[in-house]
Amino acid sequence: KNFLPDFRQSSLTVFDAGRFKRTAVVMLGSAPESTRAAARTKLLKERQEKVAAEVKRAKRPSKWDNGDANPALSPEELEAEIQKAVDAVEVPEDDEKAWLEEVIDAQHENELAR
């Protein structure tokens, strides 16, 4: 985003030219491993929470069912199903890269706001 002239111009309008020195800083290369690991962990946790919620919703009995489609599970069985689904969650490398770019963009916007 930083390479796009429109984005740079809109970012500069926030800062008064009389009070601030306008300097462009461009980062090249990949993110540090610590940032990548934190982003990977956060993405995996979000996906696991989403899968856990989906399993809970899918396995709970509906008040409109006669009990045929989703028989009621005991809390232990439900937790086992959720844990099984959560353990199966993986983060493809392409998704990780896209998500990492969003995290880095957000970090840069926060730094600009300071």
Side-chain angles (χ1 to χ4, degrees):
K1 264 172 50 173
N2 219 10
F3 289 120
L4 301 175
D6 295 334
F7 179 75
R8 288 196 313 267
Q9 291 299 323
S10 66
S11 296
L12 287 175
T13 59
V14 176
F15 302 102
D16 180 25
R19 295 180 46 188
F20 295 97
K21 179 181 177 185
R22 295 178 178 183
T23 304
V25 178
V26 178
M27 295 177 54
L28 296 176
S30 61
E33 186 57 38
S34 60
T35 303
R36 294 174 66 197
R40 186 179 315 116
T41 302
K42 189 172 181 180
L43 177 60
L44 182 62
K45 184 178 177 185
E46 283 181 5
R47 294 225 173 148
Q48 287 174 338
E49 289 172 355
K50 183 178 177 182
V51 165
E54 288 174 359
V55 170
K56 282 182 185 179
R57 184 176 39 81
K59 296 295 181 178
R60 81 170 169 238
S62 172
K63 64 181 179 181
W64 292 284
D65 275 346
N66 293 332
D68 302 333
N70 289 331
L73 296 175
S74 70
E76 295 83 21
E77 291 173 329
L78 181 60
E79 284 301 318
E81 288 282 330
I82 291 171
Q83 190 60 42
K84 182 177 159 184
V86 166
D87 290 342
V89 173
E90 293 180 358
V91 179
E93 190 172 328
D94 294 339
D95 290 351
E96 181 182 328
K97 285 180 183 178
W99 202 81
L100 182 61
E101 288 175 7
E102 291 176 16
V103 168
I104 290 173
D105 284 345
Q107 286 177 348
H108 292 308
E109 288 176 11
N110 288 341
E111 289 174 10
L112 261 179
R114 288 186 205 165

PDB file of all heavy atoms in Angstrom, residues 20-52:
ATOM      1  N   PHE A  20       5.546  19.469  10.746  1.00  0.00           N
ATOM      2  CA  PHE A  20       6.162  18.148  10.642  1.00  0.00           C
ATOM      3  C   PHE A  20       7.077  18.078   9.432  1.00  0.00           C
ATOM      4  O   PHE A  20       6.784  18.644   8.377  1.00  0.00           O
ATOM      5  CB  PHE A  20       5.091  17.049  10.490  1.00  0.00           C
ATOM      6  CG  PHE A  20       4.213  16.893  11.691  1.00  0.00           C
ATOM      7  CD1 PHE A  20       2.972  17.494  11.750  1.00  0.00           C
ATOM      8  CD2 PHE A  20       4.629  16.135  12.766  1.00  0.00           C
ATOM      9  CE1 PHE A  20       2.151  17.345  12.846  1.00  0.00           C
ATOM     10  CE2 PHE A  20       3.818  15.980  13.874  1.00  0.00           C
ATOM     11  CZ  PHE A  20       2.569  16.588  13.917  1.00  0.00           C
ATOM     12  N   LYS A  21       8.164  17.358   9.586  1.00  0.00           N
ATOM     13  CA  LYS A  21       9.040  17.071   8.462  1.00  0.00           C
ATOM     14  C   LYS A  21       8.509  15.792   7.812  1.00  0.00           C
ATOM     15  O   LYS A  21       8.346  14.769   8.473  1.00  0.00           O
ATOM     16  CB  LYS A  21      10.474  16.850   8.943  1.00  0.00           C
ATOM     17  CG  LYS A  21      11.434  16.518   7.844  1.00  0.00           C
ATOM     18  CD  LYS A  21      12.822  16.294   8.386  1.00  0.00           C
ATOM     19  CE  LYS A  21      13.752  15.877   7.267  1.00  0.00           C
ATOM     20  NZ  LYS A  21      15.070  15.530   7.789  1.00  0.00           N
ATOM     21  N   ARG A  22       8.232  15.878   6.545  1.00  0.00           N
ATOM     22  CA  ARG A  22       7.655  14.725   5.844  1.00  0.00           C
ATOM     23  C   ARG A  22       8.789  13.896   5.253  1.00  0.00           C
ATOM     24  O   ARG A  22       9.496  14.333   4.343  1.00  0.00           O
ATOM     25  CB  ARG A  22       6.715  15.188   4.737  1.00  0.00           C
ATOM     26  CG  ARG A  22       5.499  15.914   5.272  1.00  0.00           C
ATOM     27  CD  ARG A  22       4.634  16.384   4.141  1.00  0.00           C
ATOM     28  NE  ARG A  22       3.436  17.034   4.645  1.00  0.00           N
ATOM     29  CZ  ARG A  22       2.492  17.489   3.873  1.00  0.00           C
ATOM     30  NH1 ARG A  22       2.580  17.370   2.569  1.00  0.00           N
ATOM     31  NH2 ARG A  22       1.438  18.068   4.392  1.00  0.00           N
ATOM     32  N   THR A  23       8.956  12.697   5.773  1.00  0.00           N
ATOM     33  CA  THR A  23       9.998  11.787   5.312  1.00  0.00           C
ATOM     34  C   THR A  23       9.354  10.450   4.998  1.00  0.00           C
ATOM     35  O   THR A  23       8.616   9.907   5.816  1.00  0.00           O
ATOM     36  CB  THR A  23      11.066  11.588   6.403  1.00  0.00           C
ATOM     37  OG1 THR A  23      11.581  12.859   6.774  1.00  0.00           O
ATOM     38  CG2 THR A  23      12.198  10.720   5.902  1.00  0.00           C
ATOM     39  N   ALA A  24       9.652   9.931   3.840  1.00  0.00           N
ATOM     40  CA  ALA A  24       9.116   8.623   3.456  1.00  0.00           C
ATOM     41  C   ALA A  24      10.073   7.528   3.911  1.00  0.00           C
ATOM     42  O   ALA A  24      11.283   7.632   3.725  1.00  0.00           O
ATOM     43  CB  ALA A  24       8.921   8.549   1.949  1.00  0.00           C
ATOM     44  N   VAL A  25       9.534   6.504   4.513  1.00  0.00           N
ATOM     45  CA  VAL A  25      10.318   5.359   4.947  1.00  0.00           C
ATOM     46  C   VAL A  25       9.679   4.118   4.339  1.00  0.00           C
ATOM     47  O   VAL A  25       8.492   3.872   4.516  1.00  0.00           O
ATOM     48  CB  VAL A  25      10.342   5.229   6.485  1.00  0.00           C
ATOM     49  CG1 VAL A  25      11.118   3.996   6.903  1.00  0.00           C
ATOM     50  CG2 VAL A  25      10.925   6.474   7.107  1.00  0.00           C
ATOM     51  N   VAL A  26      10.458   3.350   3.613  1.00  0.00           N
ATOM     52  CA  VAL A  26       9.958   2.151   2.951  1.00  0.00           C
ATOM     53  C   VAL A  26      10.723   0.954   3.497  1.00  0.00           C
ATOM     54  O   VAL A  26      11.947   0.966   3.555  1.00  0.00           O
ATOM     55  CB  VAL A  26      10.135   2.246   1.417  1.00  0.00           C
ATOM     56  CG1 VAL A  26       9.648   0.983   0.753  1.00  0.00           C
ATOM     57  CG2 VAL A  26       9.425   3.460   0.884  1.00  0.00           C
ATOM     58  N   MET A  27       9.969  -0.060   3.918  1.00  0.00           N
ATOM     59  CA  MET A  27      10.594  -1.275   4.433  1.00  0.00           C
ATOM     60  C   MET A  27      10.604  -2.331   3.334  1.00  0.00           C
ATOM     61  O   MET A  27       9.606  -2.540   2.667  1.00  0.00           O
ATOM     62  CB  MET A  27       9.818  -1.798   5.635  1.00  0.00           C
ATOM     63  CG  MET A  27       9.852  -0.871   6.818  1.00  0.00           C
ATOM     64  SD  MET A  27       8.859  -1.460   8.200  1.00  0.00           S
ATOM     65  CE  MET A  27       9.497  -3.084   8.462  1.00  0.00           C
ATOM     66  N   LEU A  28      11.740  -2.960   3.168  1.00  0.00           N
ATOM     67  CA  LEU A  28      11.868  -4.038   2.197  1.00  0.00           C
ATOM     68  C   LEU A  28      12.282  -5.299   2.927  1.00  0.00           C
ATOM     69  O   LEU A  28      12.934  -5.248   3.965  1.00  0.00           O
ATOM     70  CB  LEU A  28      12.913  -3.687   1.137  1.00  0.00           C
ATOM     71  CG  LEU A  28      12.592  -2.481   0.262  1.00  0.00           C
ATOM     72  CD1 LEU A  28      13.760  -2.184  -0.665  1.00  0.00           C
ATOM     73  CD2 LEU A  28      11.344  -2.721  -0.546  1.00  0.00           C
ATOM     74  N   GLY A  29      11.931  -6.422   2.360  1.00  0.00           N
ATOM     75  CA  GLY A  29      12.307  -7.692   2.955  1.00  0.00           C
ATOM     76  C   GLY A  29      11.150  -8.299   3.728  1.00  0.00           C
ATOM     77  O   GLY A  29      10.048  -7.760   3.786  1.00  0.00           O
ATOM     78  N   SER A  30      11.402  -9.428   4.336  1.00  0.00           N
ATOM     79  CA  SER A  30      10.348 -10.117   5.082  1.00  0.00           C
ATOM     80  C   SER A  30      10.321  -9.620   6.527  1.00  0.00           C
ATOM     81  O   SER A  30      11.272  -9.024   7.017  1.00  0.00           O
ATOM     82  CB  SER A  30      10.568 -11.624   5.038  1.00  0.00           C
ATOM     83  OG  SER A  30      11.804 -11.937   5.634  1.00  0.00           O
ATOM     84  N   ALA A  31       9.219  -9.898   7.181  1.00  0.00           N
ATOM     85  CA  ALA A  31       9.045  -9.481   8.566  1.00  0.00           C
ATOM     86  C   ALA A  31       9.962 -10.300   9.470  1.00  0.00           C
ATOM     87  O   ALA A  31      10.343 -11.431   9.134  1.00  0.00           O
ATOM     88  CB  ALA A  31       7.593  -9.689   8.976  1.00  0.00           C
ATOM     89  N   PRO A  32      10.304  -9.747  10.639  1.00  0.00           N
ATOM     90  CA  PRO A  32      11.114 -10.515  11.585  1.00  0.00           C
ATOM     91  C   PRO A  32      10.386 -11.786  12.014  1.00  0.00           C
ATOM     92  O   PRO A  32       9.154 -11.840  12.017  1.00  0.00           O
ATOM     93  CB  PRO A  32      11.282  -9.568  12.776  1.00  0.00           C
ATOM     94  CG  PRO A  32      10.892  -8.225  12.294  1.00  0.00           C
ATOM     95  CD  PRO A  32      10.001  -8.406  11.107  1.00  0.00           C
ATOM     96  N   GLU A  33      11.138 -12.781  12.389  1.00  0.00           N
ATOM     97  CA  GLU A  33      10.554 -14.072  12.762  1.00  0.00           C
ATOM     98  C   GLU A  33       9.617 -13.935  13.957  1.00  0.00           C
ATOM     99  O   GLU A  33       8.600 -14.622  14.032  1.00  0.00           O
ATOM    100  CB  GLU A  33      11.647 -15.099  13.065  1.00  0.00           C
ATOM    101  CG  GLU A  33      11.127 -16.496  13.328  1.00  0.00           C
ATOM    102  CD  GLU A  33      10.295 -17.079  12.198  1.00  0.00           C
ATOM    103  OE1 GLU A  33      10.614 -16.860  11.015  1.00  0.00           O
ATOM    104  OE2 GLU A  33       9.295 -17.772  12.496  1.00  0.00           O
ATOM    105  N   SER A  34       9.922 -13.043  14.876  1.00  0.00           N
ATOM    106  CA  SER A  34       9.050 -12.874  16.046  1.00  0.00           C
ATOM    107  C   SER A  34       7.669 -12.364  15.615  1.00  0.00           C
ATOM    108  O   SER A  34       6.649 -12.816  16.136  1.00  0.00           O
ATOM    109  CB  SER A  34       9.684 -11.917  17.048  1.00  0.00           C
ATOM    110  OG  SER A  34       9.887 -10.639  16.465  1.00  0.00           O
ATOM    111  N   THR A  35       7.629 -11.433  14.660  1.00  0.00           N
ATOM    112  CA  THR A  35       6.361 -10.915  14.153  1.00  0.00           C
ATOM    113  C   THR A  35       5.607 -12.003  13.409  1.00  0.00           C
ATOM    114  O   THR A  35       4.397 -12.156  13.557  1.00  0.00           O
ATOM    115  CB  THR A  35       6.597  -9.706  13.229  1.00  0.00           C
ATOM    116  OG1 THR A  35       7.325  -8.719  13.944  1.00  0.00           O
ATOM    117  CG2 THR A  35       5.294  -9.129  12.735  1.00  0.00           C
ATOM    118  N   ARG A  36       6.333 -12.769  12.619  1.00  0.00           N
ATOM    119  CA  ARG A  36       5.705 -13.850  11.859  1.00  0.00           C
ATOM    120  C   ARG A  36       5.133 -14.911  12.790  1.00  0.00           C
ATOM    121  O   ARG A  36       4.026 -15.416  12.572  1.00  0.00           O
ATOM    122  CB  ARG A  36       6.703 -14.459  10.888  1.00  0.00           C
ATOM    123  CG  ARG A  36       7.123 -13.469   9.803  1.00  0.00           C
ATOM    124  CD  ARG A  36       8.208 -13.994   8.933  1.00  0.00           C
ATOM    125  NE  ARG A  36       7.709 -15.122   8.180  1.00  0.00           N
ATOM    126  CZ  ARG A  36       8.483 -15.998   7.569  1.00  0.00           C
ATOM    127  NH1 ARG A  36       9.785 -15.887   7.607  1.00  0.00           N
ATOM    128  NH2 ARG A  36       7.947 -16.995   6.908  1.00  0.00           N
ATOM    129  N   ALA A  37       5.875 -15.251  13.841  1.00  0.00           N
ATOM    130  CA  ALA A  37       5.398 -16.270  14.783  1.00  0.00           C
ATOM    131  C   ALA A  37       4.166 -15.783  15.536  1.00  0.00           C
ATOM    132  O   ALA A  37       3.208 -16.538  15.732  1.00  0.00           O
ATOM    133  CB  ALA A  37       6.504 -16.632  15.766  1.00  0.00           C
ATOM    134  N   ALA A  38       4.179 -14.515  15.938  1.00  0.00           N
ATOM    135  CA  ALA A  38       3.022 -13.960  16.648  1.00  0.00           C
ATOM    136  C   ALA A  38       1.796 -13.939  15.739  1.00  0.00           C
ATOM    137  O   ALA A  38       0.686 -14.272  16.168  1.00  0.00           O
ATOM    138  CB  ALA A  38       3.337 -12.551  17.148  1.00  0.00           C
ATOM    139  N   ALA A  39       1.977 -13.557  14.482  1.00  0.00           N
ATOM    140  CA  ALA A  39       0.857 -13.526  13.534  1.00  0.00           C
ATOM    141  C   ALA A  39       0.330 -14.936  13.279  1.00  0.00           C
ATOM    142  O   ALA A  39      -0.885 -15.148  13.231  1.00  0.00           O
ATOM    143  CB  ALA A  39       1.306 -12.879  12.228  1.00  0.00           C
ATOM    144  N   ARG A  40       1.235 -15.894  13.130  1.00  0.00           N
ATOM    145  CA  ARG A  40       0.831 -17.283  12.890  1.00  0.00           C
ATOM    146  C   ARG A  40       0.025 -17.812  14.080  1.00  0.00           C
ATOM    147  O   ARG A  40      -1.021 -18.436  13.912  1.00  0.00           O
ATOM    148  CB  ARG A  40       2.080 -18.136  12.663  1.00  0.00           C
ATOM    149  CG  ARG A  40       1.810 -19.558  12.268  1.00  0.00           C
ATOM    150  CD  ARG A  40       3.099 -20.366  12.029  1.00  0.00           C
ATOM    151  NE  ARG A  40       4.081 -19.654  11.238  1.00  0.00           N
ATOM    152  CZ  ARG A  40       5.285 -19.273  11.686  1.00  0.00           C
ATOM    153  NH1 ARG A  40       5.637 -19.528  12.932  1.00  0.00           N
ATOM    154  NH2 ARG A  40       6.129 -18.646  10.896  1.00  0.00           N
ATOM    155  N   THR A  41       0.499 -17.530  15.287  1.00  0.00           N
ATOM    156  CA  THR A  41      -0.186 -17.994  16.498  1.00  0.00           C
ATOM    157  C   THR A  41      -1.574 -17.371  16.612  1.00  0.00           C
ATOM    158  O   THR A  41      -2.548 -18.054  16.932  1.00  0.00           O
ATOM    159  CB  THR A  41       0.650 -17.641  17.742  1.00  0.00           C
ATOM    160  OG1 THR A  41       1.935 -18.242  17.611  1.00  0.00           O
ATOM    161  CG2 THR A  41      -0.010 -18.122  19.005  1.00  0.00           C
ATOM    162  N   LYS A  42      -1.655 -16.075  16.343  1.00  0.00           N
ATOM    163  CA  LYS A  42      -2.942 -15.383  16.450  1.00  0.00           C
ATOM    164  C   LYS A  42      -3.935 -15.895  15.407  1.00  0.00           C
ATOM    165  O   LYS A  42      -5.109 -16.117  15.709  1.00  0.00           O
ATOM    166  CB  LYS A  42      -2.736 -13.883  16.285  1.00  0.00           C
ATOM    167  CG  LYS A  42      -3.958 -13.075  16.589  1.00  0.00           C
ATOM    168  CD  LYS A  42      -3.654 -11.593  16.605  1.00  0.00           C
ATOM    169  CE  LYS A  42      -4.903 -10.805  16.944  1.00  0.00           C
ATOM    170  NZ  LYS A  42      -4.650  -9.367  16.971  1.00  0.00           N
ATOM    171  N   LEU A  43      -3.469 -16.111  14.177  1.00  0.00           N
ATOM    172  CA  LEU A  43      -4.341 -16.628  13.129  1.00  0.00           C
ATOM    173  C   LEU A  43      -4.830 -18.028  13.467  1.00  0.00           C
ATOM    174  O   LEU A  43      -6.011 -18.339  13.308  1.00  0.00           O
ATOM    175  CB  LEU A  43      -3.607 -16.633  11.778  1.00  0.00           C
ATOM    176  CG  LEU A  43      -4.368 -17.205  10.598  1.00  0.00           C
ATOM    177  CD1 LEU A  43      -5.648 -16.415  10.344  1.00  0.00           C
ATOM    178  CD2 LEU A  43      -3.495 -17.200   9.353  1.00  0.00           C
ATOM    179  N   LEU A  44      -3.926 -18.879  13.957  1.00  0.00           N
ATOM    180  CA  LEU A  44      -4.306 -20.242  14.324  1.00  0.00           C
ATOM    181  C   LEU A  44      -5.336 -20.221  15.453  1.00  0.00           C
ATOM    182  O   LEU A  44      -6.332 -20.954  15.408  1.00  0.00           O
ATOM    183  CB  LEU A  44      -3.081 -21.043  14.744  1.00  0.00           C
ATOM    184  CG  LEU A  44      -3.308 -22.499  15.114  1.00  0.00           C
ATOM    185  CD1 LEU A  44      -3.859 -23.268  13.914  1.00  0.00           C
ATOM    186  CD2 LEU A  44      -2.020 -23.137  15.589  1.00  0.00           C
ATOM    187  N   LYS A  45      -5.135 -19.353  16.440  1.00  0.00           N
ATOM    188  CA  LYS A  45      -6.077 -19.264  17.559  1.00  0.00           C
ATOM    189  C   LYS A  45      -7.452 -18.805  17.076  1.00  0.00           C
ATOM    190  O   LYS A  45      -8.476 -19.358  17.487  1.00  0.00           O
ATOM    191  CB  LYS A  45      -5.542 -18.299  18.607  1.00  0.00           C
ATOM    192  CG  LYS A  45      -6.395 -18.218  19.841  1.00  0.00           C
ATOM    193  CD  LYS A  45      -5.799 -17.286  20.865  1.00  0.00           C
ATOM    194  CE  LYS A  45      -6.722 -17.163  22.067  1.00  0.00           C
ATOM    195  NZ  LYS A  45      -6.232 -16.189  23.023  1.00  0.00           N
ATOM    196  N   GLU A  46      -7.486 -17.807  16.191  1.00  0.00           N
ATOM    197  CA  GLU A  46      -8.768 -17.339  15.653  1.00  0.00           C
ATOM    198  C   GLU A  46      -9.500 -18.453  14.908  1.00  0.00           C
ATOM    199  O   GLU A  46     -10.705 -18.633  15.059  1.00  0.00           O
ATOM    200  CB  GLU A  46      -8.550 -16.153  14.722  1.00  0.00           C
ATOM    201  CG  GLU A  46      -8.278 -14.861  15.423  1.00  0.00           C
ATOM    202  CD  GLU A  46      -8.088 -13.699  14.465  1.00  0.00           C
ATOM    203  OE1 GLU A  46      -8.261 -13.886  13.235  1.00  0.00           O
ATOM    204  OE2 GLU A  46      -7.758 -12.611  14.943  1.00  0.00           O
ATOM    205  N   ARG A  47      -8.749 -19.184  14.097  1.00  0.00           N
ATOM    206  CA  ARG A  47      -9.376 -20.277  13.339  1.00  0.00           C
ATOM    207  C   ARG A  47      -9.876 -21.376  14.265  1.00  0.00           C
ATOM    208  O   ARG A  47     -10.937 -21.956  14.036  1.00  0.00           O
ATOM    209  CB  ARG A  47      -8.388 -20.833  12.324  1.00  0.00           C
ATOM    210  CG  ARG A  47      -8.059 -19.825  11.255  1.00  0.00           C
ATOM    211  CD  ARG A  47      -8.078 -20.439   9.916  1.00  0.00           C
ATOM    212  NE  ARG A  47      -7.931 -19.414   8.909  1.00  0.00           N
ATOM    213  CZ  ARG A  47      -7.342 -19.585   7.771  1.00  0.00           C
ATOM    214  NH1 ARG A  47      -6.845 -20.760   7.467  1.00  0.00           N
ATOM    215  NH2 ARG A  47      -7.267 -18.611   6.902  1.00  0.00           N
ATOM    216  N   GLN A  48      -9.103 -21.690  15.306  1.00  0.00           N
ATOM    217  CA  GLN A  48      -9.520 -22.728  16.246  1.00  0.00           C
ATOM    218  C   GLN A  48     -10.785 -22.309  16.994  1.00  0.00           C
ATOM    219  O   GLN A  48     -11.682 -23.130  17.196  1.00  0.00           O
ATOM    220  CB  GLN A  48      -8.396 -23.028  17.237  1.00  0.00           C
ATOM    221  CG  GLN A  48      -7.250 -23.792  16.618  1.00  0.00           C
ATOM    222  CD  GLN A  48      -6.074 -23.959  17.552  1.00  0.00           C
ATOM    223  OE1 GLN A  48      -5.911 -23.205  18.513  1.00  0.00           O
ATOM    224  NE2 GLN A  48      -5.229 -24.939  17.268  1.00  0.00           N
ATOM    225  N   GLU A  49     -10.867 -21.034  17.397  1.00  0.00           N
ATOM    226  CA  GLU A  49     -12.064 -20.550  18.079  1.00  0.00           C
ATOM    227  C   GLU A  49     -13.287 -20.623  17.165  1.00  0.00           C
ATOM    228  O   GLU A  49     -14.374 -20.982  17.597  1.00  0.00           O
ATOM    229  CB  GLU A  49     -11.851 -19.118  18.569  1.00  0.00           C
ATOM    230  CG  GLU A  49     -10.888 -19.019  19.734  1.00  0.00           C
ATOM    231  CD  GLU A  49     -10.530 -17.586  20.088  1.00  0.00           C
ATOM    232  OE1 GLU A  49     -10.957 -16.644  19.374  1.00  0.00           O
ATOM    233  OE2 GLU A  49      -9.821 -17.407  21.088  1.00  0.00           O
ATOM    234  N   LYS A  50     -13.080 -20.287  15.893  1.00  0.00           N
ATOM    235  CA  LYS A  50     -14.181 -20.338  14.932  1.00  0.00           C
ATOM    236  C   LYS A  50     -14.668 -21.778  14.742  1.00  0.00           C
ATOM    237  O   LYS A  50     -15.876 -22.043  14.730  1.00  0.00           O
ATOM    238  CB  LYS A  50     -13.726 -19.757  13.603  1.00  0.00           C
ATOM    239  CG  LYS A  50     -14.804 -19.683  12.558  1.00  0.00           C
ATOM    240  CD  LYS A  50     -14.289 -19.053  11.288  1.00  0.00           C
ATOM    241  CE  LYS A  50     -15.359 -19.039  10.209  1.00  0.00           C
ATOM    242  NZ  LYS A  50     -14.870 -18.473   8.956  1.00  0.00           N
ATOM    243  N   VAL A  51     -13.727 -22.713  14.629  1.00  0.00           N
ATOM    244  CA  VAL A  51     -14.091 -24.119  14.447  1.00  0.00           C
ATOM    245  C   VAL A  51     -14.800 -24.647  15.689  1.00  0.00           C
ATOM    246  O   VAL A  51     -15.797 -25.366  15.590  1.00  0.00           O
ATOM    247  CB  VAL A  51     -12.840 -24.963  14.121  1.00  0.00           C
ATOM    248  CG1 VAL A  51     -13.104 -26.436  14.280  1.00  0.00           C
ATOM    249  CG2 VAL A  51     -12.359 -24.668  12.716  1.00  0.00           C
ATOM    250  N   ALA A  52     -14.326 -24.264  16.867  1.00  0.00           N
ATOM    251  CA  ALA A  52     -14.964 -24.716  18.116  1.00  0.00           C
ATOM    252  C   ALA A  52     -16.402 -24.211  18.189  1.00  0.00           C
ATOM    253  O   ALA A  52     -17.310 -24.957  18.569  1.00  0.00           O
ATOM    254  CB  ALA A  52     -14.166 -24.233  19.318  1.00  0.00           C
TER     255      ALA A  52
END
